[in-house]
Amino acid sequence: MKVVKQPVDMIAYFNVEGVIMPLKFRLETEDKYLKTIKVLTILYHKEEKIAGNLIRTYACTIAQDTLEKPCEIKYELNSCKWFLFKI
């Protein structure tokens, strides 16, 4: 997987335990086109501390161009920002 760390717009929900679960996200392509990508499955999620920031990391598979691809999405708890970290 390649590290991209691209900010994304996310649609997510909270499960019963209060954990945020991503559903789909929108990112801007190189030609300034907005592309919506659906999260198919979440393999695991973990919480970590990087440079003093609490970050929740999600390893999941996404549907992109009729293919299933693995990716890693990160959510910064302090700033409430989502990033597509690896694809």
Side-chain angles (χ1 to χ4, degrees):
M1 287 195 285
K2 182 173 88 171
V3 175
V4 291
K5 195 170 183 204
Q6 181 177 7
V8 295
D9 296 328
M10 179 67 69
I11 294 178
Y13 71 95
F14 289 87
N15 67 10
V16 180
E17 291 88 30
V19 178
I20 302 170
M21 306 302 278
L23 292 174
K24 60 183 170 178
F25 59 91
R26 185 173 62 183
L27 59 95
E28 189 174 327
T29 60
E30 292 142 4
D31 57 348
K32 305 295 183 197
Y33 175 72
L34 292 175
K35 185 175 187 177
T36 302
I37 298 174
K38 184 178 179 182
V39 176
L40 298 175
T41 58
I42 298 172
L43 305 172
Y44 66 88
H45 56 90
K46 63 182 178 180
E47 196 168 297
E48 54 193 355
K49 198 172 206 178
I50 300 174
N53 294 331
L54 284 174
I55 294 177
R56 188 167 298 247
T57 302
Y58 297 88
C60 48
T61 58
I62 57 172
Q64 185 180 23
D65 302 327
T66 68
L67 298 173
E68 286 188 22
K69 292 185 177 181
C71 78
E72 192 172 284
I73 302 169
K74 294 195 179 228
Y75 176 67
E76 290 183 359
L77 292 161
N78 296 337
S79 64
C80 299
K81 292 183 181 179
W82 288 92
F83 294 95
L84 176 61
F85 192 70
K86 290 182 185 176
I87 192 162

Coordinates of all heavy atoms in Angstrom, one line a residue:
M1 N 0.8 -1.2 0.0 CA 0.0 0.0 0.0 C 0.9 1.2 0.0 O 2.0 1.3 0.6 CB -0.9 0.0 1.2 CG -2.0 -1.0 1.2 SD -3.3 -0.7 2.4 CE -2.6 -1.3 3.9
K2 N 0.4 2.3 -0.6 CA 1.1 3.5 -0.8 C 0.5 4.6 0.2 O -0.7 4.7 0.3 CB 0.9 4.0 -2.2 CG 1.7 5.3 -2.5 CD 1.6 5.6 -4.0 CE 0.4 6.4 -4.3 NZ 0.3 6.9 -5.6
V3 N 1.4 5.3 0.9 CA 0.9 6.3 1.8 C 0.5 7.6 1.0 O 1.3 8.1 0.2 CB 2.0 6.7 2.8 CG1 1.6 7.8 3.7 CG2 2.4 5.5 3.7
V4 N -0.7 8.1 1.2 CA -1.2 9.3 0.5 C -1.5 10.4 1.5 O -1.4 11.6 1.1 CB -2.4 8.9 -0.4 CG1 -1.9 8.1 -1.6 CG2 -3.5 8.3 0.3
K5 N -2.0 10.1 2.7 CA -2.5 11.0 3.7 C -3.2 12.2 3.1 O -2.9 13.4 3.2 CB -1.3 11.5 4.6 CG -1.9 12.2 5.8 CD -0.9 12.5 6.8 CE -1.7 13.1 8.0 NZ -0.9 14.0 8.8
Q6 N -4.4 11.9 2.5 CA -5.2 12.8 1.8 C -6.5 13.1 2.7 O -7.1 12.2 3.1 CB -5.6 12.3 0.4 CG -6.5 13.3 -0.3 CD -6.8 12.7 -1.7 OE1 -6.5 11.6 -2.0 NE2 -7.4 13.5 -2.5
P7 N -6.8 14.3 3.0 CA -8.0 14.6 3.7 C -9.2 14.2 3.0 O -9.3 14.4 1.7 CB -7.9 16.1 4.0 CG -6.9 16.7 3.1 CD -6.1 15.6 2.6
V8 N -10.2 13.7 3.7 CA -11.5 13.3 3.0 C -12.7 13.8 3.8 O -12.6 14.0 5.0 CB -11.5 11.7 2.9 CG1 -10.5 11.2 1.9 CG2 -11.5 11.0 4.2
D9 N -13.8 13.8 3.1 CA -15.1 14.1 3.8 C -15.7 12.7 4.1 O -15.7 11.8 3.2 CB -16.1 14.8 2.8 CG -15.6 16.2 2.5 OD1 -15.0 16.8 3.3 OD2 -15.9 16.6 1.3
M10 N -16.2 12.5 5.3 CA -16.6 11.1 5.7 C -18.0 11.1 6.2 O -18.5 12.1 6.8 CB -15.7 10.7 6.9 CG -16.0 9.3 7.4 SD -15.7 8.0 6.3 CE -13.9 8.0 6.2
I11 N -18.7 10.0 5.9 CA -20.0 9.7 6.4 C -19.8 8.5 7.3 O -19.3 7.5 6.8 CB -21.1 9.5 5.4 CG1 -21.4 10.7 4.6 CG2 -22.4 9.0 6.0 CD1 -22.4 10.5 3.5
A12 N -20.1 8.7 8.6 CA -19.9 7.6 9.6 C -21.0 7.5 10.6 O -21.9 8.4 10.6 CB -18.6 7.9 10.3
Y13 N -21.0 6.4 11.4 CA -22.0 6.3 12.4 C -21.3 5.8 13.7 O -20.2 5.3 13.6 CB -23.1 5.3 12.0 CG -22.7 3.9 11.9 CD1 -23.0 3.0 13.0 CD2 -22.1 3.4 10.8 CE1 -22.6 1.7 13.0 CE2 -21.7 2.0 10.7 CZ -22.0 1.2 11.8 OH -21.6 -0.1 11.8
F14 N -22.0 5.9 14.8 CA -21.5 5.4 16.1 C -22.2 4.1 16.4 O -23.4 4.0 16.3 CB -21.9 6.4 17.2 CG -21.0 7.7 17.1 CD1 -21.4 8.8 16.4 CD2 -19.9 7.8 17.8 CE1 -20.7 9.9 16.3 CE2 -19.1 9.0 17.8 CZ -19.5 10.0 17.0
N15 N -21.4 3.1 16.8 CA -22.1 1.8 17.1 C -22.5 1.9 18.6 O -22.4 3.0 19.2 CB -21.1 0.7 16.9 CG -19.9 0.6 17.7 OD1 -19.8 1.4 18.7 ND2 -19.0 -0.2 17.4
V16 N -23.0 0.8 19.1 CA -23.6 0.8 20.5 C -22.5 1.2 21.5 O -22.9 1.8 22.5 CB -24.2 -0.6 20.8 CG1 -24.8 -0.7 22.2 CG2 -25.2 -0.9 19.7
E17 N -21.3 0.8 21.3 CA -20.2 1.1 22.3 C -19.7 2.6 22.2 O -18.9 3.0 22.9 CB -19.0 0.2 22.1 CG -19.3 -1.3 22.5 CD -19.9 -2.1 21.4 OE1 -19.6 -1.8 20.2 OE2 -20.7 -3.0 21.7
G18 N -20.2 3.3 21.2 CA -19.7 4.7 21.0 C -18.6 4.8 20.1 O -18.0 5.9 20.0
V19 N -18.2 3.7 19.4 CA -17.1 3.8 18.4 C -17.5 4.3 17.1 O -18.6 3.8 16.6 CB -16.4 2.4 18.3 CG1 -15.3 2.4 17.3 CG2 -16.0 1.9 19.7
I20 N -16.8 5.2 16.5 CA -17.1 5.7 15.1 C -16.8 4.7 14.1 O -15.7 4.1 14.1 CB -16.4 7.0 14.8 CG1 -16.6 8.0 15.9 CG2 -16.7 7.6 13.5 CD1 -15.7 9.2 15.8
M21 N -17.7 4.4 13.2 CA -17.6 3.4 12.1 C -17.8 4.1 10.8 O -18.9 4.6 10.5 CB -18.5 2.2 12.3 CG -18.4 1.6 13.7 SD -16.8 0.9 14.1 CE -16.9 -0.6 13.2
P22 N -16.8 4.2 9.9 CA -16.9 4.8 8.6 C -17.8 4.1 7.6 O -17.8 2.8 7.6 CB -15.5 4.9 8.1 CG -14.8 3.9 8.8 CD -15.4 3.7 10.1
L23 N -18.6 4.8 6.9 CA -19.5 4.2 5.9 C -19.0 4.4 4.4 O -18.9 3.5 3.6 CB -20.9 4.7 6.0 CG -21.7 4.2 7.2 CD1 -23.0 4.9 7.3 CD2 -21.9 2.7 7.2
K24 N -18.8 5.7 4.1 CA -18.3 6.1 2.8 C -17.6 7.5 2.9 O -17.9 8.2 3.9 CB -19.4 6.1 1.7 CG -20.5 7.0 2.0 CD -21.5 6.8 0.8 CE -22.8 7.6 1.2 NZ -23.8 7.4 0.1
F25 N -16.7 7.7 2.0 CA -16.0 9.0 2.0 C -15.9 9.6 0.6 O -16.1 8.9 -0.4 CB -14.6 8.9 2.7 CG -13.7 7.9 2.1 CD1 -12.8 8.3 1.1 CD2 -13.7 6.5 2.5 CE1 -11.9 7.4 0.5 CE2 -12.8 5.6 1.9 CZ -12.0 6.0 0.9
R26 N -15.6 10.9 0.6 CA -15.4 11.6 -0.7 C -14.1 12.2 -0.7 O -13.7 12.9 0.3 CB -16.5 12.6 -0.8 CG -16.5 13.4 -2.1 CD -17.7 14.2 -2.3 NE -17.7 15.2 -1.2 CZ -18.6 16.1 -1.0 NH1 -19.7 16.2 -1.8 NH2 -18.5 17.0 -0.1
L27 N -13.3 12.1 -1.8 CA -12.0 12.7 -1.9 C -11.9 13.4 -3.2 O -12.7 13.1 -4.2 CB -10.9 11.6 -1.7 CG -10.9 10.4 -2.7 CD1 -10.0 10.7 -3.9 CD2 -10.4 9.2 -2.0
E28 N -11.0 14.3 -3.3 CA -10.7 15.1 -4.5 C -9.6 14.4 -5.3 O -8.5 14.2 -4.8 CB -10.4 16.5 -4.1 CG -10.3 17.4 -5.3 CD -10.1 18.9 -4.9 OE1 -10.6 19.2 -3.8 OE2 -9.5 19.6 -5.6
T29 N -9.9 14.1 -6.6 CA -8.9 13.5 -7.4 C -7.9 14.6 -8.0 O -8.1 15.8 -7.7 CB -9.6 12.8 -8.6 OG1 -10.3 13.7 -9.4 CG2 -10.5 11.7 -8.2
E30 N -6.9 14.1 -8.7 CA -5.9 15.0 -9.2 C -6.5 16.1 -10.2 O -6.0 17.2 -10.3 CB -4.8 14.3 -9.9 CG -4.0 13.5 -8.9 CD -3.6 12.1 -9.5 OE1 -3.9 11.8 -10.7 OE2 -3.0 11.4 -8.8
D31 N -7.6 15.7 -10.9 CA -8.2 16.6 -11.8 C -9.4 17.4 -11.2 O -10.3 17.8 -11.9 CB -8.6 15.9 -13.1 CG -9.6 14.8 -12.8 OD1 -9.7 14.4 -11.7 OD2 -10.2 14.2 -13.8
K32 N -9.3 17.6 -9.9 CA -10.3 18.4 -9.1 C -11.7 17.8 -9.2 O -12.7 18.5 -9.1 CB -10.3 19.8 -9.6 CG -9.0 20.5 -9.5 CD -8.5 20.6 -8.1 CE -7.1 21.3 -8.0 NZ -6.4 21.1 -6.8
Y33 N -11.9 16.5 -9.4 CA -13.2 15.8 -9.4 C -13.4 15.2 -8.1 O -12.5 14.6 -7.5 CB -13.2 14.8 -10.5 CG -14.4 13.9 -10.6 CD1 -15.6 14.5 -11.1 CD2 -14.3 12.6 -10.2 CE1 -16.7 13.7 -11.1 CE2 -15.5 11.8 -10.3 CZ -16.7 12.4 -10.7 OH -17.8 11.6 -10.8
L34 N -14.6 15.3 -7.5 CA -15.0 14.7 -6.2 C -15.5 13.3 -6.5 O -16.4 13.1 -7.3 CB -16.0 15.5 -5.5 CG -15.6 16.9 -5.0 CD1 -16.8 17.6 -4.4 CD2 -14.5 16.7 -4.0
K35 N -14.9 12.3 -5.8 CA -15.2 10.9 -6.0 C -15.6 10.3 -4.7 O -15.0 10.5 -3.7 CB -13.9 10.2 -6.5 CG -14.1 8.8 -6.9 CD -12.9 8.2 -7.5 CE -13.1 6.8 -8.0 NZ -11.9 6.3 -8.7
T36 N -16.8 9.6 -4.7 CA -17.3 9.0 -3.5 C -16.9 7.5 -3.5 O -17.1 6.8 -4.5 CB -18.8 9.1 -3.5 OG1 -19.2 10.5 -3.5 CG2 -19.4 8.5 -2.2
I37 N -16.4 7.0 -2.4 CA -16.0 5.6 -2.3 C -16.6 5.0 -1.1 O -16.7 5.6 0.0 CB -14.4 5.6 -2.1 CG1 -13.8 6.2 -3.4 CG2 -13.9 4.2 -1.9 CD1 -12.3 6.3 -3.3
K38 N -17.2 3.8 -1.3 CA -17.9 3.1 -0.2 C -17.0 2.2 0.6 O -16.1 1.5 0.0 CB -19.0 2.3 -0.8 CG -19.9 1.6 0.2 CD -21.0 0.9 -0.4 CE -21.8 0.2 0.7 NZ -22.9 -0.6 0.1
V39 N -17.1 2.2 1.9 CA -16.3 1.3 2.8 C -17.1 0.0 2.8 O -18.3 0.0 3.3 CB -16.1 1.9 4.2 CG1 -15.4 0.9 5.1 CG2 -15.3 3.1 4.1
L40 N -16.5 -1.1 2.3 CA -17.2 -2.4 2.3 C -17.1 -3.1 3.7 O -18.2 -3.5 4.2 CB -16.7 -3.3 1.2 CG -16.8 -2.7 -0.2 CD1 -16.1 -3.6 -1.2 CD2 -18.3 -2.6 -0.6
T41 N -15.9 -3.4 4.2 CA -15.8 -4.0 5.4 C -14.7 -3.3 6.2 O -13.7 -2.8 5.7 CB -15.4 -5.5 5.3 OG1 -14.2 -5.6 4.5 CG2 -16.5 -6.3 4.6
I42 N -14.8 -3.4 7.5 CA -13.8 -2.9 8.4 C -13.1 -4.1 9.0 O -13.7 -4.9 9.7 CB -14.4 -2.0 9.5 CG1 -15.0 -0.8 8.9 CG2 -13.3 -1.6 10.5 CD1 -15.8 0.1 9.8
L43 N -11.8 -4.3 8.7 CA -11.1 -5.4 9.2 C -10.8 -5.3 10.7 O -10.9 -6.2 11.5 CB -9.8 -5.6 8.4 CG -10.0 -5.7 6.9 CD1 -8.7 -5.7 6.1 CD2 -10.8 -7.0 6.6
Y44 N -10.3 -4.1 11.1 CA -10.0 -3.9 12.5 C -9.9 -2.4 12.7 O -9.7 -1.6 11.7 CB -8.7 -4.6 13.0 CG -7.5 -4.1 12.4 CD1 -6.8 -3.0 12.9 CD2 -6.9 -4.7 11.3 CE1 -5.6 -2.5 12.4 CE2 -5.7 -4.2 10.7 CZ -5.1 -3.1 11.3 OH -3.9 -2.7 10.7
H45 N -10.0 -1.9 13.9 CA -9.7 -0.5 14.3 C -9.0 -0.5 15.6 O -9.2 -1.4 16.4 CB -11.0 0.3 14.3 CG -12.1 -0.2 15.3 ND1 -12.1 0.2 16.6 CD2 -13.1 -1.1 15.1 CE1 -13.1 -0.4 17.2 NE2 -13.7 -1.2 16.3
K46 N -8.1 0.5 15.7 CA -7.4 0.6 17.0 C -7.1 2.1 17.2 O -7.2 3.0 16.3 CB -6.0 -0.1 16.8 CG -5.1 0.5 15.8 CD -3.8 -0.3 15.7 CE -3.0 0.2 14.5 NZ -1.7 -0.5 14.4
E47 N -6.9 2.4 18.5 CA -6.6 3.8 18.9 C -5.1 3.9 19.3 O -4.6 3.0 20.0 CB -7.5 4.2 20.1 CG -7.6 5.6 20.3 CD -8.7 6.0 21.3 OE1 -9.8 5.8 20.9 OE2 -8.3 6.5 22.3
E48 N -4.5 4.9 18.8 CA -3.0 5.1 19.0 C -2.8 6.6 19.3 O -3.6 7.4 19.0 CB -2.2 4.6 17.9 CG -2.5 5.1 16.5 CD -1.9 4.3 15.4 OE1 -1.1 3.4 15.6 OE2 -2.2 4.7 14.3
K49 N -1.6 6.8 19.8 CA -1.2 8.2 20.1 C 0.1 8.5 19.3 O 1.1 7.8 19.4 CB -0.9 8.4 21.6 CG -0.9 9.8 22.0 CD -0.8 9.8 23.6 CE -1.4 11.1 24.0 NZ -1.3 11.2 25.5
I50 N 0.0 9.5 18.3 CA 1.1 9.8 17.4 C 1.4 11.3 17.7 O 0.5 12.1 17.4 CB 0.7 9.5 16.0 CG1 0.5 8.1 15.8 CG2 1.9 10.0 15.1 CD1 0.0 7.7 14.4
A51 N 2.6 11.6 18.1 CA 3.0 13.0 18.4 C 2.1 13.7 19.3 O 1.7 14.9 19.1 CB 3.2 13.8 17.1
G52 N 1.5 13.0 20.3 CA 0.6 13.6 21.3 C -0.8 13.7 20.8 O -1.7 14.1 21.6
N53 N -1.1 13.3 19.6 CA -2.5 13.3 19.1 C -3.1 11.9 19.2 O -2.5 11.0 18.8 CB -2.5 13.8 17.6 CG -2.1 15.2 17.5 OD1 -2.3 16.0 18.3 ND2 -1.5 15.5 16.3
L54 N -4.4 11.9 19.7 CA -5.1 10.6 19.7 C -5.7 10.4 18.3 O -6.3 11.2 17.7 CB -6.2 10.7 20.7 CG -5.8 10.5 22.2 CD1 -7.1 10.7 23.1 CD2 -5.3 9.1 22.4
I55 N -5.4 9.2 17.8 CA -5.8 8.9 16.4 C -6.4 7.5 16.4 O -5.9 6.6 17.0 CB -4.6 8.9 15.4 CG1 -4.1 10.3 15.3 CG2 -5.0 8.4 14.1 CD1 -2.9 10.5 14.5
R56 N -7.6 7.4 15.7 CA -8.2 6.1 15.6 C -7.9 5.6 14.1 O -8.2 6.3 13.2 CB -9.7 6.2 15.8 CG -10.4 4.8 15.8 CD -11.8 5.0 16.4 NE -11.7 5.4 17.7 CZ -12.1 4.7 18.8 NH1 -12.5 3.5 18.6 NH2 -12.0 5.2 20.0
T57 N -7.4 4.4 14.0 CA -7.0 3.9 12.7 C -7.9 2.8 12.3 O -8.2 1.9 13.1 CB -5.5 3.4 12.8 OG1 -4.7 4.4 13.2 CG2 -5.1 2.8 11.4
Y58 N -8.4 2.8 11.1 CA -9.3 1.8 10.5 C -8.6 1.1 9.3 O -8.2 1.8 8.4 CB -10.6 2.4 10.1 CG -11.4 3.0 11.2 CD1 -11.2 4.3 11.5 CD2 -12.3 2.3 11.9 CE1 -11.9 4.9 12.6 CE2 -13.1 2.9 12.9 CZ -12.8 4.2 13.2 OH -13.5 4.8 14.2
A59 N -8.5 -0.2 9.4 CA -8.1 -1.0 8.2 C -9.3 -1.5 7.6 O -10.1 -2.2 8.3 CB -7.1 -2.1 8.6
C60 N -9.5 -1.3 6.3 CA -10.8 -1.7 5.7 C -10.6 -2.0 4.2 O -9.5 -1.7 3.7 CB -11.9 -0.6 5.9 SG -11.4 1.0 5.6
T61 N -11.6 -2.5 3.6 CA -11.7 -2.7 2.2 C -12.7 -1.7 1.6 O -13.7 -1.5 2.2 CB -12.0 -4.2 1.8 OG1 -13.3 -4.5 2.3 CG2 -11.0 -5.1 2.3
I62 N -12.4 -1.2 0.5 CA -13.2 -0.2 -0.2 C -13.6 -0.7 -1.6 O -12.9 -1.5 -2.2 CB -12.6 1.2 -0.2 CG1 -11.2 1.1 -1.0 CG2 -12.4 1.8 1.2 CD1 -10.6 2.5 -1.2
A63 N -14.7 -0.1 -2.1 CA -15.1 -0.4 -3.5 C -14.6 0.8 -4.3 O -15.1 1.9 -4.2 CB -16.6 -0.6 -3.6
Q64 N -13.6 0.6 -5.2 CA -13.1 1.6 -6.0 C -13.0 1.1 -7.5 O -12.3 0.2 -7.7 CB -11.7 2.1 -5.5 CG -11.2 3.3 -6.3 CD -9.9 3.8 -5.8 OE1 -9.1 3.0 -5.2 NE2 -9.6 5.0 -6.1
D65 N -13.7 1.7 -8.4 CA -13.7 1.4 -9.8 C -14.0 -0.1 -10.0 O -13.3 -0.8 -10.7 CB -12.3 1.7 -10.4 CG -12.0 3.1 -10.3 OD1 -12.9 4.0 -10.3 OD2 -10.8 3.5 -10.2
T66 N -15.1 -0.6 -9.4 CA -15.6 -2.0 -9.4 C -14.6 -3.0 -8.9 O -14.7 -4.2 -9.2 CB -16.0 -2.4 -10.8 OG1 -14.9 -2.4 -11.7 CG2 -17.1 -1.4 -11.4
L67 N -13.6 -2.6 -8.1 CA -12.6 -3.4 -7.5 C -12.6 -3.3 -6.0 O -13.0 -2.2 -5.5 CB -11.2 -3.1 -8.0 CG -10.9 -3.3 -9.5 CD1 -9.5 -2.8 -9.8 CD2 -11.0 -4.8 -9.9
E68 N -12.3 -4.3 -5.3 CA -12.1 -4.2 -3.8 C -10.7 -4.0 -3.5 O -9.8 -4.8 -4.0 CB -12.6 -5.5 -3.1 CG -14.1 -5.6 -3.1 CD -14.5 -6.8 -2.3 OE1 -13.8 -7.3 -1.4 OE2 -15.7 -7.3 -2.5
K69 N -10.4 -3.0 -2.8 CA -9.0 -2.6 -2.4 C -8.9 -2.4 -0.9 O -9.8 -1.9 -0.3 CB -8.6 -1.3 -3.1 CG -8.4 -1.4 -4.6 CD -7.9 -0.1 -5.1 CE -7.7 -0.2 -6.6 NZ -7.1 1.1 -7.1
P70 N -7.7 -2.9 -0.4 CA -7.5 -2.6 1.1 C -7.0 -1.1 1.2 O -6.4 -0.6 0.3 CB -6.4 -3.5 1.5 CG -5.7 -3.8 0.2 CD -6.7 -3.7 -0.9
C71 N -7.4 -0.5 2.4 CA -6.9 0.8 2.6 C -6.9 1.0 4.2 O -7.3 0.2 4.9 CB -7.8 1.9 2.0 SG -9.4 2.2 2.8
E72 N -6.3 2.2 4.5 CA -6.2 2.5 5.9 C -6.7 4.0 6.1 O -6.2 4.9 5.4 CB -4.8 2.4 6.4 CG -4.6 2.5 7.9 CD -3.2 2.2 8.3 OE1 -2.8 1.0 8.3 OE2 -2.5 3.1 8.7
I73 N -7.7 4.2 6.9 CA -8.3 5.5 7.2 C -7.9 5.9 8.6 O -8.0 5.1 9.5 CB -9.8 5.4 7.0 CG1 -10.1 4.9 5.6 CG2 -10.4 6.8 7.3 CD1 -11.6 4.6 5.4
K74 N -7.6 7.2 8.8 CA -7.3 7.6 10.1 C -8.2 8.8 10.5 O -8.5 9.6 9.7 CB -5.8 8.1 10.2 CG -4.9 6.9 10.1 CD -3.5 7.3 10.5 CE -2.6 6.1 10.3 NZ -1.8 5.8 11.5
Y75 N -8.6 8.8 11.8 CA -9.4 9.9 12.3 C -8.7 10.5 13.5 O -8.4 9.8 14.5 CB -10.8 9.3 12.8 CG -11.7 10.3 13.4 CD1 -12.2 11.3 12.7 CD2 -12.0 10.2 14.8 CE1 -13.1 12.3 13.3 CE2 -12.9 11.1 15.4 CZ -13.4 12.1 14.7 OH -14.2 13.0 15.3
E76 N -8.5 11.8 13.4 CA -7.8 12.6 14.5 C -8.9 13.0 15.5 O -9.8 13.8 15.1 CB -7.1 13.8 14.0 CG -5.8 13.4 13.2 CD -5.1 14.7 12.8 OE1 -5.5 15.8 13.1 OE2 -4.0 14.5 12.1
L77 N -8.9 12.5 16.7 CA -9.9 12.8 17.7 C -9.9 14.2 18.1 O -11.0 14.8 18.4 CB -9.8 11.9 18.9 CG -10.1 10.4 18.6 CD1 -9.5 9.5 19.6 CD2 -11.5 10.2 18.5
N78 N -8.7 14.9 18.2 CA -8.7 16.3 18.7 C -9.2 17.3 17.7 O -9.9 18.2 18.0 CB -7.2 16.6 19.1 CG -6.7 15.8 20.3 OD1 -7.5 15.3 21.1 ND2 -5.4 15.7 20.4
S79 N -8.9 17.1 16.4 CA -9.3 18.0 15.4 C -10.5 17.6 14.6 O -11.0 18.3 13.8 CB -8.1 18.2 14.4 OG -7.8 17.0 13.7
C80 N -11.0 16.3 14.8 CA -12.1 15.7 14.2 C -12.0 15.7 12.6 O -12.9 16.0 11.9 CB -13.4 16.5 14.5 SG -13.8 16.4 16.3
K81 N -10.8 15.4 12.2 CA -10.5 15.3 10.7 C -10.2 13.8 10.3 O -9.6 13.1 11.1 CB -9.2 16.1 10.4 CG -9.5 17.6 10.6 CD -8.3 18.4 10.1 CE -8.5 19.9 10.3 NZ -7.4 20.7 9.9
W82 N -10.7 13.5 9.1 CA -10.5 12.2 8.5 C -9.4 12.3 7.4 O -9.4 13.2 6.7 CB -11.8 11.7 7.9 CG -12.8 11.3 8.9 CD1 -13.8 12.1 9.4 CD2 -13.0 10.0 9.5 NE1 -14.6 11.3 10.3 CE2 -14.1 10.1 10.3 CE3 -12.3 8.8 9.4 CZ2 -14.6 9.0 11.0 CZ3 -12.8 7.7 10.1 CH2 -13.9 7.8 10.9
F83 N -8.6 11.2 7.3 CA -7.6 11.1 6.3 C -7.6 9.7 5.7 O -7.7 8.7 6.4 CB -6.2 11.4 6.9 CG -6.0 12.8 7.4 CD1 -6.2 13.1 8.7 CD2 -5.6 13.8 6.5 CE1 -6.0 14.4 9.2 CE2 -5.5 15.1 7.0 CZ -5.6 15.4 8.3
L84 N -7.5 9.7 4.4 CA -7.2 8.4 3.7 C -5.7 8.3 3.8 O -4.9 9.1 3.2 CB -7.6 8.4 2.2 CG -7.3 7.2 1.4 CD1 -7.9 6.0 2.0 CD2 -7.7 7.4 0.0
F85 N -5.2 7.4 4.6 CA -3.8 7.3 4.9 C -3.0 6.4 3.9 O -2.0 6.8 3.4 CB -3.5 6.8 6.3 CG -2.1 7.0 6.8 CD1 -1.7 8.3 7.1 CD2 -1.3 6.0 7.0 CE1 -0.4 8.5 7.5 CE2 0.0 6.1 7.5 CZ 0.4 7.4 7.7
K86 N -3.5 5.2 3.7 CA -2.8 4.3 2.8 C -3.9 3.7 1.8 O -5.0 3.4 2.2 CB -2.2 3.1 3.5 CG -1.0 3.5 4.3 CD -0.4 2.3 5.0 CE 0.8 2.6 5.9 NZ 1.3 1.4 6.6
I87 N -3.4 3.5 0.6 CA -4.3 2.8 -0.4 C -3.5 2.0 -1.3 O -2.3 2.2 -1.5 CB -5.1 3.8 -1.2 CG1 -6.2 3.1 -1.9 CG2 -4.3 4.7 -2.1 CD1 -7.3 4.0 -2.4

